[in-house]
Amino acid sequence: MGVVSVTWRVGGAALRSVGAERLQRAGAAGERASPPGPRQSPSPGPKPAPAPAPAPLPHSAAPSDRTETSGEAPSCSSDQAAGYPTAPPRVLTAAETERLARSRKLTPSSTSVPPIGLDISTMTTELIPDEDGFYSKAKKYWKNIPPTVDGMLGGYGHISSIDINSSKKFLQRFIGEGSGKASAGCALDCGAGIGRITKRLLLPLFKIVDMVDVTESFLAKAKAHLGEEGSRVGNYYCCGLQDFIPQPQRYDVIWIQWVIGHLTDTHLTQFLKRCQKGLRPNGIICVKDNVSQDGVIEDEVDSSVCRDLSSLRAIVRLAGLHLIAEEKQDNFPDEIYQVYSLALR
Ligand SMILES: C[S@@+](CC[C@H](N)C(=O)[O-])C[C@H]1O[C@@H](n2cnc3c(N)ncnc32)[C@H](O)[C@@H]1O
């Protein structure tokens, strides 16, 4: 299949989209065909969004042969027995987590063949032909980002407080006393970086917080960034979420922010399934991330994708999760993608 590449260059950063056929299939042609808004820097986390298109092209039907197999077994796992840690935590290296996983003979929790009938028209399979390259490029990208709040937010460090305050309000609806509420015992911060969220959202609300991120230097920096309260971090896992297996029934809340774009649809679906198994009774999973207006948009700079809300909801359904609440983030700068929080269980 011929692929026509379109490259935008705005503010020094390049966004490249795939060919016209793919554009139509992904239902994202409208967005991609128009020039994106201002883009200050290659910015993961909050990102300048493309300008809306005047008239989107119609979606094509979901291809019936769109199946993905699970690929390799996840190679990282929690290193903590049931209950809270007794030994001082330290960062498990990628090699250690891999060894640990191998020693436990871990197998994938499931395969992921999307059931016919679900909206899978935006599955990332075609956008990401080279899966290994997709992950290794992202890993390389993050290795070169400064371990600061601004680095975590792609130059938008100044919106961190607005983000955290809204997240706190959102999360507090689901935790505390009373039937159906999650306890305030243990939380997991996924794609935690230096612990921006762990520090200001999760540690103030939970007794213990575990962190997982693919970038070892961020986790190392987290120890200083978190200060004394960091003593309540149970585990630092250096691991890609595509490989990470949360310890079953350990978590009251699993927080996943500004990182799902680094996972393929299949890996995201599988990861969410594993997260569900990691929940304690009444536990919830919160996903907070950029959403595009329509379709899946690729970012070649940080090697990620931005999904629209309906694609994200379809993945949630595929993972067998229920959407408990959904909220749009207010008061973010106009030029960035819209950000949504989803509570799932
Ligand atoms: C935009 S930053 C967000 C950090 C944090 N969630 C926050 O909001 O402050 C994205 C983070 O995801 C991590 N990351 C990227 N790809 C990942 C993957 N496949 N698995 C786990 N973490 C990943 C990066 O190292 C980085 O720390």
Side-chain angles (χ1 to χ4, degrees), residues 103-261:
S103 73
R104 290 182 185 173
K105 294 192 173 56
L106 295 168
T107 52
S109 55
S110 65
T111 55
S112 165
V113 179
I116 291 166
L118 269 178
D119 175 10
I120 53 170
S121 60
T122 54
M123 293 292 277
T124 51
T125 325
E126 294 193 15
L127 273 180
I128 306 167
D130 172 14
E131 200 172 277
D132 289 348
F134 176 71
Y135 287 112
S136 63
K137 201 171 157 191
K139 202 168 165 181
K140 206 164 150 195
Y141 173 87
W142 284 105
K143 234 179 167 170
N144 290 311
I145 295 297
T148 60
V149 169
D150 224 28
M152 297 300 98
L153 301 186
Y156 282 85
H158 56 284
I159 66 169
S160 184
S161 290
I162 301 172
D163 166 57
I164 297 283
N165 291 337
S166 303
S167 297
K168 199 167 267 177
K169 274 193 200 138
F170 183 75
L171 184 53
Q172 276 174 330
R173 287 161 37 191
F174 310 107
I175 56 175
E177 304 296 312
S179 86
K181 297 267 182 124
S183 308
C186 190
L188 173 66
D189 187 354
C190 298
I194 62 167
R196 182 186 71 89
I197 295 165
T198 290
K199 183 181 171 95
R200 294 196 47 206
L201 176 69
L202 300 177
L203 280 172
L205 294 174
F206 295 88
K207 291 194 188 88
I208 296 289
V209 179
D210 288 349
M211 295 170 62
V212 53
D213 198 283
V214 79
T215 311
E216 201 164 349
S217 57
F218 291 166
L219 293 174
K221 175 71 184 187
K223 294 189 171 182
H225 180 69
L226 297 173
E228 270 182 27
E229 295 297 310
S231 62
R232 291 189 290 111
V233 172
N235 297 284
Y236 296 88
Y237 297 113
C238 183
C239 190
L241 299 183
Q242 64 277 18
D243 297 321
F244 184 69
I245 304 177
Q247 182 184 309
Q249 293 181 43
R250 174 169 168 84
Y251 299 107
D252 297 298
V253 166
I254 299 182
W255 194 269
I256 310 168
Q257 182 163 351
W258 277 323
V259 67
I260 60 168

Side-chain angles (χ1 to χ4, degrees), residues 88-101:
R90 71 180 179 85
V91 178
L92 291 185
T93 64
E96 282 173 320
T97 43
E98 208 173 322
R99 252 198 321 278
L100 178 76

Side-chain angles (χ1 to χ4, degrees), residues 2 22 38 84-85 95 137-138 141 158 217 222 251 301 313 329 342:
R22 292 184 186 179
Y84 299 139
K137 201 171 157 191
Y141 173 87
H158 56 284
S217 57
Y251 299 107
V301 176
R313 291 194 199 111
Q329 172 71 51
L342 276 60

Side-chain angles (χ1 to χ4, degrees), residues 222-297:
K223 294 189 171 182
H225 180 69
L226 297 173
E228 270 182 27
E229 295 297 310
S231 62
R232 291 189 290 111
V233 172
N235 297 284
Y236 296 88
Y237 297 113
C238 183
C239 190
L241 299 183
Q242 64 277 18
D243 297 321
F244 184 69
I245 304 177
Q247 182 184 309
Q249 293 181 43
R250 174 169 168 84
Y251 299 107
D252 297 298
V253 166
I254 299 182
W255 194 269
I256 310 168
Q257 182 163 351
W258 277 323
V259 67
I260 60 168
H262 284 299
L263 300 184
T264 63
D265 288 342
T266 298
H267 283 153
L268 177 56
T269 308
Q270 292 172 335
F271 177 62
L272 289 174
K273 283 183 183 177
R274 296 196 295 274
C275 284
Q276 191 180 35
K277 291 190 179 146
L279 292 179
R280 296 179 63 202
N282 298 326
I284 58 160
I285 299 166
C286 290
V287 173
K288 184 168 184 178
D289 221 298
N290 299 337
V291 300
S292 67
Q293 296 278 353
D294 186 19
V296 181
I297 299 182

